[in-house]
Amino acid sequence: DEAYLYRPLLEIVRVPAVGQLVEHVLKEHSSREETLEFGGQERSLRILARPMPLGEERFGVLITVRDETLIKRIESVRRDFVANASHELKTPLAAIRAYAETLQLGALDDREAAERFVGNIVTQADRINGLVQGMLQLSRVQSGSALKIESFDAREAVEPCVAAAGAMARSKGVKVQAEMPAEPMVIRSDRDGFQTIASNLLSNAVRYTEDGGTVSVLLSSEADWCVFQVQDTGVGIQEKDLERIFERFYRAEKDRSTDTGGTGLGLSIVKHLVQGLGGGVTATSEPGRGSCFEVRLPRFGS
Ligand code: ADP
């Protein structure tokens, strides 16, 4: 830009580190690279300064600036994921090891205790399996390649999910009721994905609702949208957790979630699937009284 021509560098780029970089290159006639962080780690710029011959014995400096903020952020998300996943896997693994060691140290001879310990080992191995399956599913969903768009009846797709939740609910004294449209409701979407969304929300609703509670499912259409709602009269979600429950591994009540077989991945899978299908998901709740999850998907594909 004309306005910048022939003016001292530091008047234009008010970053002393860039001035030092240029001075160094002019003095040494060799390239130099540096990453500069601005605003904490909000912006990360990779600066490459190279000597540029400008005729006999005269040198200029060519500066290339690359914005690496996004790459840095992705790297940090990935690091967090690995740290969280390892942490989640460590607990059941440590339990398996402890039970196995106790068996090795003599509990094998106590038939009753041995059976209990082996049962616990199986439970913990199931938990690890659940985590690994959840992570694989999440990675498939995030890559977006798993989606297969076809026409199907949403009512028919939801029914087996409601039936499965009903069976799980009965064993803990929770009622599941469903309100479906009277006619078939054809939508163009990914059937498996749709069923995963329904199953995850239903299984949460049942798991977080106590004896005597009710889970209500509502399937309806609004203009070109398919609306799927799961409402429960369960423990509810605090306001501070509400905005975070869709994050991977986030659990409002860690103990309760683990006791009921939770992995902290179910809602994250729901969110990515819904987004991949061009829709949206929202959660509302009154702590202690219940929660409501609403999914909206375009009826005619995206
Ligand atoms: P989890 O496997 O722990 O249930 P999710 O990703 O499905 O993981 O849910 C994340 C967290 O959101 C849960 O740990 C729980 O605290 C909260 N949650 C999800 N659904 C409900 C619900 N219907 N009622 C109360 N809390 C819920």
Side-chain angles (χ1 to χ4, degrees):
D1 192 316
E2 295 263 325
Y4 296 126
L5 284 178
Y6 309 114
R7 285 175 53 195
L9 176 69
L10 281 181
E11 260 182 35
I12 301 159
V13 183
R14 295 176 184 278
V15 182
V18 174
Q20 285 158 15
L21 212 62
V22 168
E23 266 171 37
H24 176 91
V25 174
L26 282 175
K27 210 160 90 201
E28 307 285 330
H29 291 179
S30 66
S31 306
R32 201 167 173 148
E33 235 177 315
E34 209 169 303
T35 299
L36 303 178
E37 311 269 0
F38 297 92
Q41 290 191 344
E42 249 165 52
R43 188 163 286 280
S44 178
L45 300 180
R46 184 101 189 125
I47 319 266
L48 170 64
R50 272 183 292 212
M52 197 175 64
L54 290 176
E56 272 173 45
E57 311 229 335
R58 278 187 68 217
F59 273 91
V61 178
L62 177 68
I63 306 174
T64 317
V65 182
R66 200 162 75 163
D67 190 342
E68 293 192 336
T69 312
L70 193 60
I71 298 173
K72 280 266 159 70
R73 207 169 296 152
I74 292 170
E75 275 171 5
S76 130
V77 168
R78 193 165 296 160
R79 257 197 318 274
D80 284 354
F81 179 72
V82 172
N84 283 333
S86 318
H87 179 79
E88 295 291 333
L89 290 168
K90 237 165 60 186
T91 317
L93 267 177
I96 288 178
R97 202 193 152 93
Y99 289 126
E101 262 172 5
T102 317
L103 285 168
Q104 233 174 11
L105 291 173
L108 269 177
D109 300 328
D110 177 348
R111 173 98 204 171
E112 212 179 293
E115 274 178 15
R116 209 173 54 243
F117 289 161
V118 171
N120 288 342
I121 289 179
V122 172
T123 307
Q124 298 298 333
D126 284 347
R127 202 174 138 198
I128 295 180
N129 190 41
L131 276 164
V132 172
Q133 295 298 336
M135 287 193 274
L136 287 174
Q137 192 175 22
L138 188 58
S139 112
R140 265 201 310 273
V141 166
Q142 279 179 314
S143 75
S145 57
L147 299 178
K148 193 171 129 231
I149 305 296
E150 57 183 338
S151 294
F152 61 92
D153 179 3
R155 220 177 41 164
E156 227 173 67
V158 167
E159 265 158 12
C161 309
V162 173
M168 188 166 104
R170 259 192 304 282
S171 67
K172 58 179 289 197
V174 171
K175 204 170 105 195
V176 176
Q177 57 193 30
E179 202 178 306
M180 304 271 196
E183 300 291 317
M185 192 179 136
V186 176
I187 70 169
R188 268 189 72 71
S189 196
D190 176 80
R191 192 191 166 94
D192 286 349
F194 186 77
Q195 288 188 315
T196 303
I197 294 168
S199 304
N200 286 8
L201 292 181
L202 275 160
S203 117
N204 279 355
V206 172
R207 283 192 297 124
Y208 297 106
T209 299
E210 277 145 5
D211 192 355
T214 307
V215 172
S216 314
V217 180
L218 177 68
L219 179 69
S220 59
S221 64
E222 266 178 38
D224 281 351
W225 294 91
C226 163
V227 182
F228 178 68
Q229 253 181 26
V230 179
Q231 190 155 15
D232 64 58
T233 59
V235 296
I237 305 160
Q238 303 280 341
E239 174 111 30
K240 69 172 172 47
D241 296 317
L242 213 45
E243 56 195 46
R244 300 201 56 192
I245 49 172
F246 291 97
E247 292 172 21
R248 296 181 295 207
F249 297 118
Y250 189 84
R251 289 175 294 182
E253 284 178 79
K254 224 172 154 58
D255 292 346
R256 192 194 305 263
S257 162
T258 312
D259 287 351
T260 58
T263 58
L265 293 173
L267 285 182
S268 180
I269 291 170
V270 167
K271 188 187 87 181
H272 283 100
L273 272 172
V274 170
Q275 281 174 351
L277 292 170
V281 53
T282 51
T284 48
S285 178
E286 259 188 81
R289 310 197 66 161
S291 318
C292 181
F293 287 81
E294 184 181 288
V295 171
R296 284 174 173 262
L297 293 175
R299 274 189 70 176
F300 304 106
S302 50

